[in-house]
Amino acid sequence: MTIRALVFDVFGTLVDWRSGVAREARRVLSAQAPDLNAGAFADAWRGRYQPSMETVRSGARPFVDLDTLHAESLPDVLAHFGIADVSDAARAELVQAWHKLDAWPEVPAALARLRERFMLAPNSNGPVRLMVDLARRNGLVFDAILGAGYSRDYKPKPALYRDAVAAFGFTSEETMMVAAHSSDLAAAASHGLSTAHIARPSEHGPAGGETGPSVPVTYAASDLADLADQLGCR
């Protein structure tokens, strides 16, 4: 099998969403909630992630981007933590926290190694601007921006995987979905893509993360550098 393009899940796979959101929540809400458990705040907000996207996936509403969904779910999270008197400007700043996430330590160098041999693109639920902001913040270089902003839907809907294959013009087997989430990889494999699992045991902080795939995959790696090694990248 010849792999020619890699498409990546981003939140959790390439970037540490929990630490970044917690850091920004702690900073923005320091006056209103000086004792905020910022990690729990990030977890609670992330807990609204799938339900909010399901309103689009189900057809109950037209496509709106993830920034809009994050802004809509934020008031419930603030209320859950008893945080009041948060200005519109501060709420907007909190939504931008998702644009200020840091890559896992090995990712920038490993991505550069992978790009010497493969075409690369995010295949994320985040909008194009969010992907660009994360790439510029972390020095990540892609050949295209795919995902929800391109396909106008959310994973695991078929469009995101089929469009990723069509965008580069390779076969599905020549296109590999790279993710830290077995459910994402199972969906990709159902559309014929090759798959690579990246272990992120600390994605959810104390709650952990996937240490290995729970579904059959083409490659299983301990991190992105390990995947680059397995794929023969120097």
Side-chain angles (χ1 to χ4, degrees), residues 96-162:
Q96 286 298 303
W98 297 90
H99 293 241
K100 300 176 181 178
L101 308 177
D102 294 332
W104 296 107
E106 89 288 354
V107 165
L111 208 63
R113 291 171 60 199
L114 289 165
R115 192 166 180 264
E116 292 184 5
R117 291 193 57 186
F118 308 102
M119 292 187 180
L120 309 181
N123 191 24
S124 170
N125 287 321
V128 171
R129 174 59 186 274
L130 196 159
M131 293 298 104
V132 170
D133 286 345
L134 293 181
R136 290 173 67 87
R137 177 181 179 85
N138 293 288
L140 312 180
V141 180
F142 296 110
D143 299 296
I145 303 292
L146 306 176
Y150 181 81
S151 300
R152 309 291 288 177
D153 211 337
Y154 289 109
K155 294 187 290 183
K157 294 292 286 294
L160 280 90
Y161 306 104
R162 294 174 181 168

Side-chain angles (χ1 to χ4, degrees), residues 206-223:
E210 292 191 19
T211 57
S214 60
V215 298
V217 296
T218 315
Y219 293 90
S222 59
D223 61 15

Side-chain angles (χ1 to χ4, degrees), residues 9-86:
D9 173 69
V10 174
F11 298 121
T13 302
L14 298 184
V15 301
D16 177 2
W17 59 265
R18 188 178 191 270
S19 295
V21 172
R23 179 193 65 236
E24 292 300 298
R26 190 179 298 111
R27 180 182 65 81
V28 174
L29 299 172
S30 59
Q32 294 91 342
D35 299 320
L36 176 67
N37 183 332
F41 185 93
D43 292 336
W45 204 356
R46 178 73 173 188
R48 271 77 171 174
Y49 181 73
Q50 291 295 341
S52 67
M53 290 188 296
E54 186 58 28
T55 64
V56 174
R57 288 191 295 241
S58 68
R61 67 185 299 185
F63 178 81
V64 295
D65 69 25
L66 191 61
D67 282 346
T68 300
L69 297 178
H70 278 149
E72 290 176 352
S73 61
L74 179 57
D76 283 346
V77 182
L78 292 169
H80 176 76
F81 284 85
I83 304 171
D85 301 322
V86 180

